[in-house]
Amino acid sequence: MSSLDPVLLSRILTGLTLIVHIIFASLGVGVPLMIALAEWRGVRTQDPHYTLLARRWARGFVITVAVGVVTGTSIGLQLSLLWPTFMRVAGQAIALPLFMETFAFFIEAIFLGIYLYTWDRFKNKYTHMLLLIPVAIGSSASAVFITTVNSFMNSPQGFTYKEGILTDIKPFVAMFNPASSTKVTHVLASSYTLSAGVLAGLAAYSILKGRNHVYFKKALKLTVVSTFIFAMSTAIIGDFSGKYLAKNQPEKLAAGEWHFATQTEATLVYGGVLDENNEVRYGLKIPYALSILAGNSPNTEVIGLNEFPEDERPPLSIHYYFDIMVTIGGLLVVIPLLYMFRKRLPGKKKYPIWMLISIMALGPLSLMALEMGWLYAEMGRQPWIMRGYMKVAEAATTSTSVGWMLVLFSVLYLVLCLSAIKVLSKLFRNKDAVEELRLLGLEEGGEKS
């Protein structure tokens, strides 16, 4: 393995770590909000079904937090080991959000422990629910601070650059860079969408398995409606992200849309393949749509990829990541809409099998959209690790041990993912929701016995 390029191996290892971590990190951001929604509804309506939802989701949440901590620690370790030049040059500029993320996690972890061990300890049920607020704020704040580090890499500012050294660093200016607002909101909204979609899929699976208790139907309604709201929010924020790219990172937008010549009335390309002359074949071309995406007007000028040197252009493959993300984003809106208007659809069944299967797919679909979005974001920044200042090849380690690190971390992630799946499945299989409902004295119809 020593003969392999350490830059390539470092990119593969970092990419693998992010692909794994983003799953658990996003669930760590979104699930607390879903727990809060369920418990709030349970307390407000005095409906124990929603309270039990919150209770069961909280148990599973602990497992995802544990795995997220391990993979998140791996990222911190790899920043120093695999990208030492980047950390040496930019470390002071990104130190503040990294430092603040630690405090956000402390707040989340402390109040999560208190929340888990104080069920039924308060006469006023709102008191226990309020303990979840710092958990939700802490988890979302962690995402905010870490995302500002990523946004700094896309839009570095707040320093003076002299001979490869950053001086006169302004941490808050670096942290709140032009990319921060769109990236942070997009990450939060997509995390909420993923969490709601996964929980909706689990509820649909339970009903498909013949568990027709009202508990599962209420879980389905809460999660599917939440998925629709969060998916719509993600799509709207995505539109703002497109406008940000057109203004601040035009090469990423151009590469993602196979847009080579600067022009107004620019066409948006969906799918297709490029021939040797960079002409699109077999793709769907939507007139004026790219100009409208870039500036809300067909007369908006969109900068083409030909304006940039070839060695500073992102890979054209990101076009497919963008297309997949957008396609799935549409499905994440349409599927919940079909559920919400199911009473107007033909057929006598309240929950048709095809609809339940579609809802089950919300989890995998939202996960794939999340991964495609991150691939588009990170690959679209190439060849830069700090756009305009430092390329990836300049930032990577020259160590010959990266190959063995890749093997060891791959084994670690495989063990973590398999263990998480096994623990979560055993956790809920050993204590079925219907069994807990009986212990609470609830009949199949949802009434107190």
Side-chain angles (χ1 to χ4, degrees), residues 321-432:
Y321 302 146
F322 181 81
D323 284 355
I324 294 171
M325 177 185 67
V326 171
T327 302
I328 295 175
L331 291 174
L332 294 177
V333 172
V334 171
I335 293 173
L337 266 179
L338 289 174
Y339 166 84
M340 292 161 65
F341 289 97
R342 65 191 182 279
K343 293 181 180 179
R344 299 183 182 181
L345 297 176
K348 297 181 179 180
K349 289 188 177 181
K350 187 175 182 180
Y351 302 105
I353 292 178
W354 63 266
M355 180 179 290
L356 293 174
I357 293 174
S358 299
I359 295 172
M360 274 182 59
L362 288 176
L365 286 174
S366 55
L367 175 59
M368 187 178 295
L370 186 77
E371 297 286 11
M372 290 299 105
W374 272 106
L375 284 172
Y376 174 72
E378 298 307 291
M379 295 293 289
R381 192 182 63 246
Q382 302 301 312
W384 304 102
I385 191 170
M386 192 165 76
R387 183 177 178 270
Y389 293 93
M390 183 186 296
K391 292 186 176 180
V392 171
E394 300 167 346
T397 181
T398 57
S399 173
T400 58
S401 303
V402 182
W404 291 111
M405 286 180 61
L406 176 58
V407 172
L408 291 174
F409 276 102
S410 298
V411 173
L412 172 64
Y413 300 148
L414 182 63
V415 171
L416 282 174
C417 292
L418 291 177
S419 299
I421 293 171
K422 186 173 182 179
V423 171
L424 285 169
S425 61
K426 279 195 171 184
L427 179 67
F428 293 107
R429 188 184 300 123
N430 293 342
K431 199 164 188 180
D432 186 78

Side-chain angles (χ1 to χ4, degrees), residues 142-271:
S142 293
V144 169
F145 293 130
I146 289 299
T147 304
T148 59
V149 174
N150 183 269
S151 62
F152 171 82
M153 296 163 72
N154 285 271
S155 182
Q157 66 171 29
F159 57 84
T160 302
Y161 189 75
K162 292 182 179 179
E163 300 178 356
I165 299 175
L166 302 190
T167 59
D168 190 26
I169 296 172
K170 300 178 177 62
F172 283 101
V173 176
M175 182 174 169
F176 297 106
N177 54 78
S180 293
S181 58
T182 54
K183 273 195 167 292
V184 165
T185 51
H186 203 275
V187 164
L188 291 176
S190 59
S191 297
Y192 300 149
T193 304
L194 170 66
S195 301
V198 168
L199 295 174
L202 293 173
Y205 173 78
S206 297
I207 295 175
L208 268 174
K209 294 286 287 183
R211 299 168 183 169
N212 294 316
H213 195 285
V214 68
Y215 165 85
F216 298 105
K217 296 173 183 177
K218 290 179 179 179
L220 190 70
K221 182 178 180 180
L222 176 64
T223 53
V224 173
V225 173
S226 297
T227 302
F228 172 76
I229 294 171
F230 296 141
M232 282 295 297
S233 302
T234 306
I236 293 169
I237 296 167
D239 178 69
F240 288 111
S241 297
K243 289 170 175 55
Y244 163 80
L245 291 179
K247 181 179 180 181
N248 298 282
Q249 285 183 276
E251 73 279 9
K252 181 188 287 190
L253 182 65
E257 289 301 327
W258 290 347
H259 178 70
F260 294 93
T262 300
Q263 65 182 86
T264 59
E265 301 180 353
T267 299
L268 188 146
V269 176
Y270 179 86

Side-chain angles (χ1 to χ4, degrees), residues 32 103-112 114-115 127-142:
F103 277 94
F105 174 72
F106 284 165
I107 292 171
E108 176 190 0
I110 290 169
F111 280 92
L112 177 60
I114 298 172
Y115 176 82
T127 304
H128 181 260
M129 187 192 72
L130 291 174
L131 291 172
L132 194 59
I133 294 177
V135 178
I137 292 176
S139 61
S140 294
S142 293

